[in-house]
Amino acid sequence: MAYACASDEKTFDNSPNGRNSLFTSHLLKHVTEPNLKVEAMMSRISDGIYRDTNGEMLSHRQVSFRTSDIYFNRADAKGMHSNRTCAYRSCLQQISFVSFSIVVQSITPYPARWKSDGETVAGGHGEGDRADQLKYPFGLFVDEDQTVYIADCVNHRIMGWKAGATTGEILAGGKGRGDGLDQLNHPSDVIVDREIDFLIICDQWNRRVMRWPRRPSSNQQPEILIDNIACWGLIRDDHGSLYVSDGEKHEVRRYDKNGAKKGTVVVGGHGKRRNRNQLHTPNSLFVDAQSTLYVSDYENHRVMKWMKGAKEGIVVAGGNGRGADVTQLDCPQGVWVDGCENVYVADWGNNRVIRWEKGAKRGTVIVGGNGEGERANQLSGPHGLFFDRLGHLYVADSGNHRVQRFSLC
């Protein structure tokens, strides 16, 4: 496994003294954990290496599985090994030694940079409800094959846009604004539950979270997962728990995989002020492998980090009032966090995406920030953002009714 130490240098994981190498030491901490996906395991290994070397080694990993549902040590509910697809399953019934071969195709210099000009991958033909149009897209989800799932908010539908396609496909809603089981009303976010092949949709103005079959040809029907909630954003963790932000109660609730509909308040819930245990209209969410939750605190113009079980959050971006300085945010929307705990924010009011490195007091504009407009290097009210497995950045450029992809330099 190779690590980037500087933009023009690299070092390899080796063990000249015969002991476990750095990578192997961290691998052995996780290799026997049941039901741990390979992608999640590799993320934890990378984070551990980064911590142990005080940031000297930034590991690069390339995922080439056709599906993300690859387990290293799959077990069923009773703890017995399953016959479902897993990596090297036959070798892992009894684990005594594991050999890894990791091919490094490229080393991305840190910090990474993206091209200033974006490429339109969905919409971009004005606002409208044709198959080649969007109308104020909000939340995004990008699958391994680079299919983009879009909460097409004011068209009251979820669109699926395959890589290279000139038109999208209606996957949910699209039957006018309404509260029927086959309708949506201003959906604000969408994620994909790959295990059961369903979409999970934040049906904002209907005050509910829906589960919808991802394939329109499916005989399965949409259903209401959670109702009576002013939902704005949602995310799932590696354990299958669902987190939903409530913009009226100024809180985030966790709903465990067992289907409990009440949920547990894990962030906020103490009114709508700006103390460290409070939120004011939370929207987009991100959760990491350690179940640390990151929340776009919209009306407080900041992003908060909440460790699992914490009673208070930590400001990791903004928090210096509403404004356009690089120390400020203006109504933050989408949020994403990389393996080094750098925070990426769709800074809606400033028409930019800005990165706050871990512990930084100011951010760095990575795309946009060139005034509101529709040129390739401009944004207009960005909402959702998502990084695919190759590091490309996708932005729901809401005011321009399009989705932009910014490639790594």
Side-chain angles (χ1 to χ4, degrees), residues 37-55:
K37 294 180 182 180
V38 170
E39 287 189 44
M41 182 182 72
M42 297 302 290
S43 177
R44 294 180 189 181
I45 292 170
S46 297
D47 290 346
I49 291 169
Y50 184 81
R51 287 193 303 269
D52 282 3
T53 60
N54 295 317

Side-chain angles (χ1 to χ4, degrees), residues 22 66 94 115 125 138-139 159 187 192 199 203 226 239 261 324 368 384:
L22 188 61
R66 291 184 179 271
Q94 294 181 341
K115 295 180 180 178
H125 299 284
F138 275 33
M159 298 292 285
V192 176
L199 304 174
D203 190 9
I226 306 164
H239 307 290
K261 289 198 171 185

Side-chain angles (χ1 to χ4, degrees), residues 345-360:
V345 188
D347 192 4
W348 178 83
N350 289 318
N351 304 300
R352 65 191 183 187
V353 175
I354 189 167
R355 174 178 60 207
W356 292 66
E357 295 177 21
K358 183 179 180 181

Side-chain angles (χ1 to χ4, degrees), residues 78-90:
K78 296 180 180 179
M80 301 298 292
H81 286 285
S82 167
N83 288 324
R84 298 181 185 178
T85 303
C86 61
Y88 310 110
R89 182 179 58 80
S90 61

Side-chain angles (χ1 to χ4, degrees), residues 5 21 30 74 107 111 130-131 164 188-190 194-195 217 223 232 257 269 296 306 356 389-390 396 399:
C5 302
S21 58
H30 302 290
R74 182 78 180 204
I107 300 295
R130 297 195 316 255
S188 59
D189 207 358
V190 59
R194 299 187 185 97
E195 291 185 9
S217 59
E223 62 176 315
W232 193 322
K257 196 174 182 179
S296 278
W306 291 68
W356 292 66
R389 61 186 178 83
L390 300 177

Side-chain angles (χ1 to χ4, degrees), residues 188 204 230-234 244-253 267-269 271-272 278-285 293-300 302 304 306 332-333:
S188 59
Q204 189 179 40
C231 58
W232 193 322
L234 46 80
V244 184
S245 59
D246 188 322
E248 289 183 1
K249 294 182 180 178
H250 312 287
E251 65 187 21
V252 178
R253 285 181 175 263
V267 173
K272 60 178 183 179
Q278 295 175 307
L279 300 169
H280 192 342
T281 320
N283 52 49
S284 296
L285 306 173
L293 195 62
Y294 296 79
V295 185
S296 278
D297 194 4
Y298 182 81
E299 294 283 358
N300 282 328
R302 65 187 184 183
M304 298 292 287
W306 291 68
Q333 296 279 353

